[in-house]
Amino acid sequence: MRGTFFIATALVGTALAAWAPPTETSEVTSVPLGDQQTEIRTSIGGASGRLPRLAIPAFLMTGADAELQEAAKTLGDVLWKDLEFEREFQMISQAGAAQIPGAPAEALAYESWNQLGADDVLVGSVQRAGGNLQLDVRVMNVERKVATFGKRYTCSLRGVRLCAHTIADELHKERFGLDGVARTKFAFVSDRDGERMGGTIEARSIKEVYVADYDGFRPSRVTVRGSLNLAPSWSPDSRAIVYQSHQSGFVDIYVQKLYEVQVQLGRPARGTDRAQNFLPAWSPDGTHIAYASSRDGNWEIYVVKVDGTDMRRLTSHPSDDSAPAWSPNGTQIAFTSDRGGSNQIYIMSADGGPATKITSEPRKADRPTWALDFIAYSAEVPGGVEIKKVNVGTRQVVQLTDGPGSNESPTVSPNGRHIAFVTTRWGKEHIAVMDADGKNVRQITFAGNNRYPRWSTR
Amino acid sequence: MSRFSLSSLLVVGVLSLASACGGKTPPAVNPTTPPLGPQAFPGSGGGTTTRPPVPQAPEAPPVIVAEPAVVSSDPLASMDTDEINRQAPLGPVFFGYDSDSVDAEGQKVLTDNAAVLKKYPTWAITIEGHSDERGTAEYNLALGERRALAAKSYLLSLGISADRMRTVSYGKEFPFDPGHDEAAYSKNRRGHFVVTAK
């Protein structure tokens, strides 16, 4: 099951370019090399109390054409960043690793690596195999001089980044039992293509939905609506999105499959002059969309089946209720309401009923996103907006950002260890990623203005 | 299928809808006005996919047919909606920070707008609600809608028919002034009027 999957964004790119079936389905397959000592996988590494130190020397090549060299460099660079991202290894710099001459696993200069401080050395080799690349990857334990991870990967030249992401995820899983996020993606909204909205004399840039790898690479535009499109949310299999579009002149909610031969659209909530629909969220079981709508006079929370049937209203209050977010198990919904006088985060059963306030922000709280045992949200503070999280059980609040700029719209990685958000700290609106404790902020978008990030569900 | 044709189809759909809202008014035909060309949309270089193809002008001068609805002394009556909107015959109504109430100044603007809408009883409009950049994007979507609805309610009270008015919220997505100070914010907190059919 884990061995074969599509290169998702490659297909998106192809579909966008021509609205035609993708002609190439790149795959990554992996098989164990059989020489790793799996029984010691979790007990080796650094001394207790510190992370194992991992070095990744440059991938060895059989053959030396420019394309292969480029692939080998990309593999090493991406893998290094992927493994650094989860902070399970203390990564030895690539410059440091380059001091030691490359060698295959069976001839590794263990003494040199030991002097460099490495506990583990990831030895990779790459060669052409038909039209594809074949990679052998082993992680050698420096002290015991044995392989603790060994797999052979076959991947396409176009899929080099995905190949590296796959290695990182599989190594994290085998070594630490960790579900890494190297193959996850973001959906977000951007005006980066600079196209102007029609039907208006004002100079307005359209905003379309894009999908990119978790590190911001390989961005692909997935909507072509020539309008304002906001608030994408992923289906639980991460093969479809739901979003709001202003294209019709009203605000509709669309679902769109991303990797089908033809673009398939559904419209579970259709806008009219009296029913504008906003901020959809796909339920964890894949059956329903929660959203906010003004159809009964002011903003309330509704759920509807993905096919647009069986719409039900969950809230009934003269104040506005907005920004629904499902709990991870789908039994509860967090949302924003100003029923207490200012916008705060509330939670209720996914069937509606009484709501419980869980934030007490001095100003406003908004846009909850629920992961594990906490809800991250945007909090208005003097001078801007900052990201906070509240523990659903204890109600303890932690502020995760403190400028610069305004920081809002948090979205949590599937493993709960990272939070992406929108920040103005670099001038325009860009998406940044930080660890769930607020540390290690990295910029992942660089073009246009970017809002409404949503981390894929897998 | 190209992106162009898909967008065009969608735009045609929107335009059909817009003209349907214009009631029984015949299409605005003014033979003295050249067909819309790309120059009618300054700065639209990158966004040409959002307009249907413009019909070619006929070779021979068209026969001028008397149009009783067109009053030659009234320039607005002979313009298409883009030209009308460029004249901004309906003024924007501005709002206070985080507020959706129409103040005295706004009431005066809306009273003037109501007079214009009564003078041109076939016009249909969209009222856009906008906000400044402060606060979350999500909150400002709701605030923008409340502002648009507040302006619509006031026009209703002045006798403008509901079926001539649509509302839409753009939140903080389309600021009129890109600045980051109160001078910009005060321009961006607005109900903005667009004539969509005549």
Side-chain angles (χ1 to χ4, degrees), chain A residues 87-167:
Chain A
R87 303 193 181 274
E88 294 293 340
F89 291 106
Q90 182 182 331
M91 300 302 294
I92 293 172
S93 75
Q94 290 171 292
Q99 297 166 15
I100 297 172
E106 58 272 22
L108 206 59
Y110 286 107
E111 188 51 38
S112 302
W113 290 109
N114 190 39
Q115 287 173 10
L116 191 66
D119 299 306
D120 297 283
V121 181
L122 188 152
V123 181
S125 64
V126 56
Q127 61 182 332
R128 288 182 181 276
N132 290 326
L133 296 177
Q134 180 179 299
L135 282 74
D136 285 356
V137 176
R138 289 182 177 83
V139 176
M140 308 303 294
N141 180 260
V142 171
E143 184 187 344
R144 304 189 50 164
K145 301 183 175 62
V146 294
T148 57
F149 176 92
K151 280 195 174 180
R152 170 167 293 173
Y153 294 86
T154 304
C155 55
S156 77
L157 273 164
R158 288 182 63 195
V160 168
R161 298 191 71 89
L162 178 59
C163 206
H165 293 329
T166 306
I167 297 166

Side-chain angles (χ1 to χ4, degrees), chain A residues 41-364:
Chain A
R41 68 170 69 127
T42 55
S43 61
I44 57 164
S48 62
R50 69 167 174 83
L51 302 177
R53 293 180 180 136
L54 176 67
I56 306 181
F59 272 55
L60 304 168
M61 288 176 286
T62 305
D65 62 278
E67 202 171 35
L68 192 63
Q69 285 181 348
E70 178 67 27
K73 180 173 187 329
T74 301
L75 283 165
D77 291 351
V78 174
L79 192 49
W80 194 95
K81 285 182 179 160
D82 286 351
L83 293 173
E84 198 240 1
F85 189 72
E86 296 288 359
R87 303 193 181 274
E88 294 293 340
F89 291 106
Q90 182 182 331
M91 300 302 294
I92 293 172
S93 75
Q94 290 171 292
Q99 297 166 15
I100 297 172
E106 58 272 22
L108 206 59
Y110 286 107
E111 188 51 38
S112 302
W113 290 109
N114 190 39
Q115 287 173 10
L116 191 66
D119 299 306
D120 297 283
V121 181
L122 188 152
V123 181
S125 64
V126 56
Q127 61 182 332
R128 288 182 181 276
N132 290 326
L133 296 177
Q134 180 179 299
L135 282 74
D136 285 356
V137 176
R138 289 182 177 83
V139 176
M140 308 303 294
N141 180 260
V142 171
E143 184 187 344
R144 304 189 50 164
K145 301 183 175 62
V146 294
T148 57
F149 176 92
K151 280 195 174 180
R152 170 167 293 173
Y153 294 86
T154 304
C155 55
S156 77
L157 273 164
R158 288 182 63 195
V160 168
R161 298 191 71 89
L162 178 59
C163 206
H165 293 329
T166 306
I167 297 166
D169 278 351
E170 293 189 356
L171 178 55
H172 275 134
K173 187 69 175 178
E174 286 208 7
R175 181 74 177 264
F176 306 105
L178 169 70
D179 290 318
V181 296
R183 283 174 292 178
T184 59
K185 296 178 183 305
F186 288 109
F188 58 97
V189 167
S190 180
D191 63 1
R192 58 181 58 192
D193 285 339
E195 291 178 27
R196 203 174 150 214
M197 194 155 116
T200 173
I201 62 164
E202 285 77 28
R204 294 171 176 173
S205 287
I206 62 169
K207 297 190 177 183
E208 301 276 7
V209 180
Y210 293 72
V211 169
D213 286 358
Y214 91 105
D215 54 10
F217 281 80
R218 301 197 301 164
S220 292
R221 178 168 157 182
V222 298
T223 59
V224 191
R225 309 196 72 93
S227 182
L228 181 64
N229 304 280
L230 300 174
S233 168
W234 293 88
S235 64
D237 67 359
S238 289
R239 296 186 62 81
I241 54 170
V242 59
Y243 57 96
Q244 78 178 60
S245 177
H246 296 240
Q247 184 186 37
S248 72
F250 304 123
V251 193
D252 301 299
I253 287 174
Y254 287 94
V255 295
Q256 180 175 327
K257 294 182 178 177
L258 295 179
Y259 308 124
E260 303 301 315
V261 169
Q262 291 181 326
V263 172
Q264 295 184 26
L265 286 177
R267 186 157 54 168
R270 182 181 294 254
T272 71
D273 196 26
R274 294 179 183 279
Q276 315 266 7
N277 308 294
F278 302 87
L279 304 173
W282 210 310
S283 69
D285 68 1
T287 59
H288 285 80
I289 308 294
Y291 61 104
S293 176
S294 58
R295 59 181 303 124
D296 291 315
N298 73 308
W299 284 35
E300 305 283 0
I301 308 295
Y302 298 77
V303 291
V304 65
K305 283 185 179 163
V306 174
D307 66 5
T309 63
D310 195 21
M311 187 199 71
R312 285 178 291 129
R313 176 171 164 181
L314 298 188
T315 60
S316 183
H317 199 282
S319 298
D320 279 346
D321 300 318
S322 176
W326 298 85
S327 66
N329 65 8
T331 61
Q332 290 176 285
I333 289 176
F335 63 102
T336 303
S337 179
D338 65 353
R339 61 185 63 188
S342 71
N343 262 17
Q344 301 292 342
I345 309 298
Y346 291 73
I347 56 179
M348 65 179 169
S349 161
D351 298 321
T356 305
K357 183 162 84 86
I358 61 159
T359 61
S360 299
E361 286 297 322
R363 296 189 173 198
K364 295 193 187 84

Side-chain angles (χ1 to χ4, degrees), chain B residues 17-27 121-124 163 197-198:
Chain B
L17 198 57
S19 58
C21 288
K24 61 186 186 301
T25 311
T122 60
W123 285 9
D163 60 14
K198 57 169 281 190

Side-chain angles (χ1 to χ4, degrees), chain A residues 19 195-196 199 201-202 204 207 224 246-247 273 276 294 299 320 343 364 366-367 408-409 451, chain B residues 1 3 10 42 51 85 98 128 136-139 145-146 152 165 167 169 172-174 192:
Chain A
W19 293 110
E195 291 178 27
R196 203 174 150 214
I201 62 164
E202 285 77 28
R204 294 171 176 173
K207 297 190 177 183
V224 191
H246 296 240
Q247 184 186 37
D273 196 26
Q276 315 266 7
S294 58
W299 284 35
D320 279 346
N343 262 17
K364 295 193 187 84
D366 201 3
R367 211 281 175 90
E408 62 170 291
S409 285
R451 277 202 189 131
Chain B
M1 281 277 284
R3 171 195 301 175
L10 295 165
R51 286 278 164 189
N85 286 321
D98 199 10
E128 302 174 350
T136 63
E138 294 84 358
Y139 177 77
E145 187 172 33
R146 291 203 304 271
K152 180 181 176 181
M165 297 185 283
T167 57
S169 172
K172 64 176 182 177
E173 305 299 331
F174 293 136
H192 183 74

Side-chain angles (χ1 to χ4, degrees), chain A residues 185-190 209-210 230-234 367-369 378 387 408-412 419-423 429-433 444-445 450-456, chain B residues 137-138:
Chain A
K185 296 178 183 305
F186 288 109
F188 58 97
V189 167
S190 180
V209 180
Y210 293 72
L230 300 174
S233 168
W234 293 88
R367 211 281 175 90
T369 182
S378 308
I387 310 291
E408 62 170 291
S409 285
T411 178
V412 184
I419 295 175
F421 58 101
V422 177
T423 183
E429 291 146 0
H430 283 298
I431 296 168
V433 171
I444 64 159
T445 62
N450 307 275
R451 277 202 189 131
Y452 290 98
R454 277 289 178 181
W455 215 309
S456 68
Chain B
E138 294 84 358

